[in-house]
Amino acid sequence: MKLIEKLRKLFNNNPFKGFFKKNRMRPPGAVREDLFMERCIRCARCIEVCPFDSIKRANISDKLSIGTPYIYTEEKACYLCMKCPEVCPTGALDNKLIDIKKVNIGVAVINQDTCYNYLFAKDENKGGTAGAAQICNTCYNVCPFPDVAIILKEFILPVITDKCVGCGICVERCPITPKAINIVPTGMADKSRAGFYYEKSRLIYEKSQKSANGFYSGDNLLKKKRNIDTKKKTTDKIKNDFDVNFGEDAEW
Amino acid sequence: MKIRKLRKTTQILTMLAIFIIPMINLLEIYFIKGTFYSMDIGDLAISDPLAIFQILLSSKIFNITMLAAIFIPVLLMLLLGRVWCSFFCPYYTIVEFLAWIRKKLKLKSIKPKYKKGDPSRSNTIRFIFLISGLVLTGIAGIPILNLILTHGIISSQALILVKFGYLTFEIVFVILLLLIEFFLIDKFWCKFLCPSGTLLSLFKFKKGMRVKKQVSECSSCNMCITVCPMGLDPQTEGDNILCNNCGDCIDACPDNKKIKTLKFKI
């Protein structure tokens, strides 16, 4: 039984087709990982034209993908200059890609347990900070698509949207070690973003946000409900938010 | 001018080029870019035919860019024979440099003596190696022979050395080969294994440039056999696909001073 499992592992997972690691992406325009490994001839042209020295040649630590180009975003992120896709001779990088919004090399994931802003918000909700937490906002400030790929929820919590291209500048600049924000390369399985329930909840959330025409719904509704003060005495005179004429002309 | 002088010049220029091209690219002049796996001069694409052929096997795609890229190497091969190996290949340059060092150190020669069946035997060995490598490429699904293409490794390592200041693990393979070349068998990689040179030999055209004996009788000093780096007999085997047109036999021939005995012929 053990032997057959080992054989299954050996033959079904082709070790030549590459493997995924966090914070290690292919250059922009790369095709699917297994196709990339088929097509890349390790000619190092993309490495040569990269003006930021972001793309590096894989070493022995990357096993059989040695010699292929990678972006190790913790050292240097991709600055989306789009010089590399056009020089690839075999189509491992999509030669026609010019629009930086269509780059899809990964997606950023925030670790909410270590991110300064999330810690600050947590402290604040408890009632007053202990002084340890601080606001940072670095990822929001360095993002090439602020308010599109990353939004500040309630003006403090950074949230990554689906528009994130995975350039990794936020990872390079994140002041926390280990990094509180990581790039999950395209094709890598990720617990926090994978599966049926994630997709379903995302769709429901999007739907609830869309139907907000004048009415409270989704997040806004939740916020409104939380803000209702139940301890407040209700004996006070209710103030109407519409004009009512209680003047002397009133008939009663 | 002697052929040897021309050959040394092109070899040294090529060795300089693999360091100078990355330097030019560092200045953001992207006129020439790439390594010996694949290179762009302006908009002219040149690729190693073996690398392109492996992509065809592993990913089953073939496009016009790839066809255009193998045009120049194949044309050069048809017209001038395997001059890529003897005039440009950086690995061959280093191997010749090592042989020169051995000569200067007055060590005993490790070049095997000529035997009648040797050229066909080494042809068999290198074609078996190439075909098994191509079959492995198909099975593994990645261009696996690119991991061991010495000229590509040397030029890409030069690029990395210039750009980042370090070398990656691939250079270990080349160093191992060079150690074998220095201590055990002279030019064994080029003669018996190199898959890129083997694939190029397939395009050797019968009427392309080749070494030919012009007269029927010579002084039979067998100097050409002694100097031939590929272990051929240039008098009779000038059109063998193992011949890389280096021209050493023509330079060495003592009869050439009187009448043209050995000569390149197109």
Side-chain angles (χ1 to χ4, degrees):
Chain A
M1 209 46 204
K2 259 189 173 177
L3 182 72
I4 192 104
E5 262 171 22
K6 270 181 187 172
L7 285 175
R8 209 176 281 152
K9 220 176 184 180
L10 181 69
F11 286 105
N12 287 353
N13 302 317
N14 188 343
F16 294 102
K17 298 268 172 164
F19 63 103
F20 297 105
K21 234 187 214 174
K22 258 188 189 172
N23 290 339
R24 189 195 70 170
M25 307 93 76
R26 292 294 184 191
V31 290
R32 222 173 62 218
E33 175 68 21
D34 55 336
L35 292 179
F36 187 90
M37 286 301 287
E38 278 175 10
R39 292 180 195 181
C40 178
I41 57 170
R42 295 145 213 253
C43 69
R45 268 198 221 183
C46 44
I47 300 169
E48 192 163 27
V49 297
C50 183
F52 297 100
D53 295 358
S54 304
I55 308 177
K56 305 219 166 60
R57 201 171 168 86
N59 208 343
I60 188 71
S61 58
D62 297 308
K63 292 173 196 164
L64 284 161
S65 50
I66 180 170
T68 50
Y70 274 122
I71 296 167
Y72 299 92
T73 186
E74 277 178 57
E75 295 167 24
K76 196 89 181 221
C78 174
Y79 287 85
L80 299 172
C81 66
M82 307 309 285
K83 280 209 163 65
C84 46
E86 58 178 335
V87 300
C88 185
T90 54
L93 305 179
D94 181 9
N95 297 138
K96 284 167 191 154
L97 187 73
I98 300 165
D99 190 3
I100 60 170
K101 282 171 192 156
K102 282 180 186 154
V103 174
N104 184 22
I105 52 183
V107 68
V109 173
I110 294 173
N111 184 354
Q112 300 189 355
D113 297 332
T114 55
C115 176
Y116 281 155
N117 276 23
Y118 278 90
L119 289 180
F120 186 89
K122 216 182 268 173
D123 266 17
E124 213 178 30
N125 286 347
K126 265 184 209 162
T129 57
Q134 47 191 317
I135 296 177
C136 139
N137 278 4
T138 308
C139 45
Y140 177 77
N141 291 335
V142 297
C143 183
F145 311 107
D147 288 327
V148 177
I150 186 166
I151 50 174
L152 283 184
K153 203 174 158 197
E154 292 166 19
F155 303 106
I156 182 163
L157 303 174
V159 174
I160 309 289
T161 68
D162 284 354
K163 298 275 162 50
C164 178
V165 297
C167 65
I169 300 173
C170 45
V171 181
E172 190 195 327
R173 298 295 164 82
C174 182
I176 307 163
T177 39
K179 303 285 184 188
I181 185 164
N182 290 297
I183 298 288
V184 177
T186 309
M188 182 177 175
D190 179 46
K191 206 164 66 181
S192 62
R193 289 184 62 86
F196 175 73
Y197 289 106
Y198 168 75
E199 201 59 23
K200 197 172 176 183
S201 65
R202 194 178 63 85
L203 286 174
I204 289 171
Y205 174 76
E206 267 179 8
K207 214 175 175 183
S208 70
Q209 291 292 303
K210 266 178 195 164
S211 63
N213 45 359
F215 299 99
Y216 289 116
S217 66
D219 248 18
N220 298 330
L221 180 66
L222 201 66
K223 211 182 201 173
K224 187 78 185 168
K225 277 183 181 168
R226 276 184 187 156
N227 283 348
I228 295 170
D229 200 345
T230 47
K231 284 171 190 168
K232 210 172 161 186
K233 285 173 188 171
T234 47
T235 50
D236 293 356
K237 212 172 188 180
I238 296 167
K239 274 185 183 174
N240 294 318
D241 55 355
F242 48 87
D243 283 339
V244 181
N245 195 358
F246 287 120
E248 289 150 8
D249 300 351
E251 285 191 356
W252 63 80
Chain B
M1 195 165 86
K2 277 198 163 180
I3 297 163
R4 188 182 167 75
K5 232 178 210 171
L6 177 71
R7 200 158 65 82
K8 291 292 154 206
T9 318
T10 56
Q11 279 181 335
I12 288 166
L13 284 178
T14 318
M15 281 308 267
L16 286 176
I18 62 174
F19 289 99
I20 288 171
I21 291 170
M23 282 178 200
I24 297 172
N25 275 280
L26 276 185
L27 301 174
E28 300 194 12
I29 302 167
Y30 304 113
F31 182 67
I32 304 179
K33 49 189 176 283
T35 58
F36 287 139
Y37 288 117
S38 174
M39 189 176 264
D40 261 4
I41 302 172
D43 267 352
L44 177 77
I46 304 169
S47 285
D48 191 323
L50 180 67
I52 298 296
F53 191 56
Q54 285 181 83
I55 300 297
L56 184 62
L57 282 183
S58 61
S59 73
K60 291 97 186 168
I61 58 156
F62 194 78
N63 52 39
I64 298 296
T65 322
M66 286 153 70
L67 185 69
I70 62 167
F71 180 69
I72 284 186
V74 169
L75 195 72
L76 196 71
M77 188 61 219
L78 288 175
L79 288 177
L80 300 178
R82 203 149 61 98
V83 286
W84 155 254
C85 296
S86 54
F87 281 70
F88 301 101
C89 178
Y91 181 78
Y92 194 78
T93 312
I94 295 172
V95 167
E96 283 203 322
F97 181 66
L98 288 183
W100 180 78
I101 287 177
R102 269 193 82 94
K103 212 172 150 193
K104 284 280 156 191
L105 292 173
K106 285 170 184 153
L107 294 171
K108 217 177 122 198
S109 175
I110 43 167
K111 195 167 166 283
K113 284 237 164 61
Y114 175 76
K115 264 179 261 151
K116 189 83 182 150
D118 273 2
S120 64
R121 189 175 60 116
S122 64
N123 271 337
T124 319
I125 293 172
R126 68 200 189 114
F127 273 107
I128 288 172
F129 186 74
L130 172 70
I131 289 164
S132 51
L134 289 178
V135 169
L136 266 179
T137 300
I139 292 171
I142 68 162
I144 207 168
L145 284 174
N146 278 1
L147 288 168
I148 57 164
L149 283 192
T150 45
H151 52 273
I153 292 177
I154 289 170
S155 61
S156 56
Q157 292 300 313
L159 187 157
I160 286 168
L161 188 67
V162 169
K163 190 151 189 187
F164 302 113
Y166 59 80
L167 293 167
T168 61
F169 189 77
E170 288 158 288
I171 200 74
V172 172
F173 175 72
V174 177
I175 289 171
L176 276 178
L177 284 183
L178 289 176
L179 284 176
I180 297 172
E181 304 264 12
F182 190 72
F183 290 110
L184 297 174
I185 317 161
D186 184 46
K187 298 194 180 61
F188 94 104
W189 175 256
C190 306
K191 218 190 290 182
F192 297 116
L193 298 176
C194 180
S196 193
T198 315
L199 191 79
L200 276 177
S201 324
L202 279 178
F203 296 102
K204 178 140 182 152
F205 182 47
K206 272 272 159 67
K207 285 178 181 156
M209 191 167 88
R210 64 202 183 277
V211 176
K212 201 164 185 224
K213 199 179 171 185
Q214 303 284 319
V215 290
S216 50
E217 290 289 316
C218 72
S219 54
S220 302
C221 62
N222 284 355
M223 198 63 196
C224 47
I225 299 176
T226 327
V227 296
C228 182
M230 291 288 127
L232 291 165
D233 178 3
Q235 296 172 36
T236 53
E237 295 168 327
D239 54 354
N240 195 304
I241 54 169
L242 192 59
C243 176
N244 60 12
N245 283 359
C246 66
D248 279 358
C249 47
I250 298 173
D251 282 347
C253 183
D255 288 1
N256 262 359
K257 280 163 192 162
K258 289 168 249 163
I259 0 157
K260 285 283 173 200
T261 314
L262 275 176
K263 210 182 144 190
F264 275 137
K265 205 191 164 202
I266 296 180

